[in-house]
Amino acid sequence: MATPLRDGRGSILGMLLRSVPSPFPRRAPRALAGLLVCLSALLSVLLTGCSSGKSGPFPYAGDGVVFGNFEGLL
C-alpha cells in the first residue's frame, strides 16, 4: 500500500516534476551549443575587422640577416 508521500513510482515531488513539461526540448543543448559556436565565430570576425592597430612590417633587430638554420632544428 502506498503511503501519502509516495506512490508506486516514487515520491510526490518526483511525480510532480515528471508531470511539469520541460521549458526546453531535448535537442536544446545541441542547438544552444551551435548557436554559441556561431556567435563566437561572428564575434571573432567582427573583432578582427575592427582592429585599428598599426599593421606591419614591424622593425626587428635581426632584419637583413640571412637565416641559415645552422642548428638543423627546422
Side-chain angles (χ1 to χ4, degrees):
M1 181 164 119
T3 63
L5 294 178
R6 299 179 84 60
D7 64 352
R9 295 181 300 180
S11 68
I12 291 178
L13 179 61
M15 183 177 63
L16 289 174
L17 288 176
R18 283 189 296 273
S19 67
V20 175
S22 173
F24 303 107
R26 288 193 178 267
R27 62 178 175 239
R30 284 188 186 169
L32 183 60
L35 180 64
L36 289 176
V37 168
C38 289
L39 287 176
S40 65
L42 179 64
L43 183 63
S44 66
V45 167
L46 288 175
L47 288 178
T48 56
C50 295
S51 63
S52 61
K54 180 179 152 185
S55 60
F58 301 105
Y60 177 65
D63 283 346
V65 176
V66 177
F67 177 73
N69 192 22
F70 297 114
E71 297 86 8
L73 297 175
L74 298 178

